[in-house]
Amino acid sequence: MSNTAMASTGAEDIKTVYVDETAGSDESGDGTQEQPYKSAAHAVFAQGPSPPLAIMIRKSDTEQYAPIGVSPLKKARKGAEGLEKQRKKALEAKAKASEQAELLEKSKAITLTENPDLPKAVKVRSLTAVCNQN
């Protein structure tokens, strides 16, 4: 095996993602140059931690794309962590709502009946209720 076959720069594994802060969209963007994301935080969140990212960013349509700086990248990672927390919280809320809806449906099927083996129920007024009326 030759040395050139063994040596790998890893550059082919890096995915380039584009962020346009004015014309991009976090909802419909896919990170391509034609459909960039609006925020670097969403780019990091949407692409996940697996593929190494090269984030190219521009602030306006008149600028050229440039690599993201260290500080904005750190801020983007922190923002992506926040987005992940929001996603998990929404999933938990959805699961809890589903569980509560299921319990509600089960409770609707419950019917209360009087036990015929016991004496007939009699209404009793409490002494405090009688005292409060006077």
Side-chain angles (χ1 to χ4, degrees):
M1 191 183 287
S2 70
N3 287 341
T4 56
M6 288 175 44
S8 175
T9 60
E12 61 274 355
D13 297 339
I14 297 175
K15 182 174 183 177
T16 302
V17 178
Y18 293 89
V19 174
D20 188 331
E21 293 182 350
T22 55
S25 172
D26 287 344
E27 290 80 30
S28 62
D30 61 4
T32 61
Q33 204 165 357
E34 294 77 27
Q35 294 182 321
Y37 294 116
K38 184 168 185 77
S39 67
H42 188 77
V44 173
F45 171 72
Q47 296 299 320
S50 298
L53 295 178
I55 300 176
M56 303 297 285
I57 191 168
R58 69 177 178 181
K59 305 249 182 230
S60 70
D61 294 338
T62 58
E63 293 181 16
Q64 295 293 321
Y65 283 103
I68 192 168
V70 174
S71 181
L73 180 59
K74 185 177 180 180
K75 186 176 178 182
R77 286 184 178 143
K78 191 161 188 82
E81 289 172 8
L83 290 171
E84 179 63 21
K85 285 180 185 176
Q86 287 176 352
R87 183 189 68 82
K88 285 181 180 178
K89 198 173 193 179
L91 285 174
E92 288 172 1
K94 186 177 179 181
K96 186 175 182 178
S98 174
E99 183 179 314
Q100 286 178 340
E102 186 179 316
L103 287 173
L104 179 63
E105 288 303 314
K106 285 181 180 179
S107 69
K108 287 180 181 178
I110 296 173
T111 56
L112 298 177
T113 57
E114 218 174 301
N115 187 343
D117 298 336
L118 296 175
K120 186 85 171 148
V122 178
K123 284 189 177 183
V124 177
R125 295 179 76 175
S126 72
L127 185 58
T128 55
V130 173
C131 291
N132 288 337
Q133 288 181 352
N134 295 332

